[in-house]
Amino acid sequence: MNQAASRISYTRPSITELEVAYAADAAANGWGERCYDYIVRFEDGFRKHLGVSHAIATSSCTGAMHMGLAALGIGKGDEVILADTNWIATAAPIVHLGATPVFVDILPDSWCIDPAEVERHITPKTKAIIATHIYGNLCDMDRLLNIGRRHGIPVIEDAAEAIGSEWHGRRAGSMGTFGTFSFHGTKTLTTGEGGMFVTSDDALFEKVLTLSNHGRARNQKKQFWPDDVGFKYKMSNIQAALGCAQLERIEGLIARKRDILVRYAEALKAYQSISLNPESSGTINGAWMPTAVFDRDIGITREMLQQAFSAANIDARVFFHPLTSLPMFPERRSNRHAWDIPERAINLPSYHDMTEDEIRRVTEVIVSLIDSRAAGEPHLAKSA
Ligand SMILES: Cc1ncc(COP(=O)(O)O)c(C=O)c1O
């Protein structure tokens, strides 16, 4: 491998003069009467982009999820069903509210929550189902919403990783009772840290708005008068200024993510033993995190992949460990796919300004690894 080659990061934001100008303007002028200008503009733009009625900018996706679950009244004794394949950020708010996360298995092709497993785990204590669109791949929202309707349980979308993804004409995050987004520095649209709560439910919006302002309702005339114990998960005007600029460029940011996934797919199409992020008919994958999953019979492991990428000076990230493999949750090996897939998968670099040469270097690592494994096993080699 080429040790002298420069390091390839797995993600990096795309910051242009527009972001710099807006952030500088917010820093210089966004105070006093103008201290919410960019926040209001960002929320309004995001709401329109998604096709929902309401959006509240937050300091993180985790905060948005925490407030949304609290607004649904989720607490002690309640259960919330979510996929075992998730970042811990999705489970943490459930735990903080005193409820129990119920981790279920994923589907082997989408790597997202298995609707049949959701239904199998519903009990009288189930108060919500969280659909996480992992790496930009889409959950089967038709089946999940149908289950939610039949059982009277809200379906929530964790769309932290799914800006740009669409399910049969509806944007990820816009279909559930509420949706949450992350604008962490690794995301397709970034504000450094940040998130968004979105909903088309007017009453839920009002509740979260009040909770988000330390429990102070917007129609409360008394100053410094909270009506409830709330949260402080706000986004700053300077972050929102970055968000406004990124939102103006959102189509290009998403298109570039999708383009990188296509490049990987083209370069690796001869290798039947690799699956990349799927895009089922009628859906669009926002391709936040191109990910390669290797068939088990070719014998390529996470550790081999990490070693090969590290030797090539490429920052590749492991597939999410099942949350039930972590020490704070009861082990649940029966979540077969959630436990199996990470052992033979890797997230690939995909930042906006990646060069053709960098994409080639990434695919070369995979090709040489797979070719070396296949050398002694001809039936695993590339197809004709
Ligand atoms: C699926 C998922 N949910 C939630 C989060 C939390 O986002 P944040 O870091 O903005 O709180 C992340 C962050 O990476 C995520 O990947």
Side-chain angles (χ1 to χ4, degrees), residues 63 76 79-80 98 102 145 159 163 184 187 297 323 342 361:
K76 205 166 174 350
E79 293 176 356
V80 177
V102 176
L145 290 171
I163 197 162
H184 178 254
K187 296 301 190 293
D297 63 359
L323 291 179
R361 274 178 56 199

Side-chain angles (χ1 to χ4, degrees), residues 59-63 65 86-90 132-135 158-161 180-184 186-187 193-195 288 317 320:
S59 53
S60 67
C61 180
T62 312
M65 182 63 78
N86 246 310
W87 178 222
I88 194 164
T90 317
T132 301
H133 304 296
I134 211 81
Y135 302 140
D158 180 338
E161 306 180 349
T180 57
F181 287 84
S182 173
F183 308 131
H184 178 254
T186 56
K187 296 301 190 293
E193 290 279 3
W288 171 60
R317 208 172 86 148
F320 285 128

Side-chain angles (χ1 to χ4, degrees), residues 233-271:
Y233 288 140
K234 290 189 175 206
M235 177 179 279
S236 74
N237 200 46
I238 298 172
Q239 289 170 298
L242 278 174
C244 286
Q246 294 261 284
L247 200 53
E248 283 183 33
R249 300 177 50 223
I250 191 61
E251 296 309 333
L253 293 174
I254 295 165
R256 180 62 183 139
K257 278 283 186 184
R258 288 177 50 72
D259 181 48
I260 292 170
L261 179 59
V262 167
R263 297 300 165 99
Y264 283 136
E266 277 168 1
L268 299 170
K269 67 172 182 270
Y271 295 87

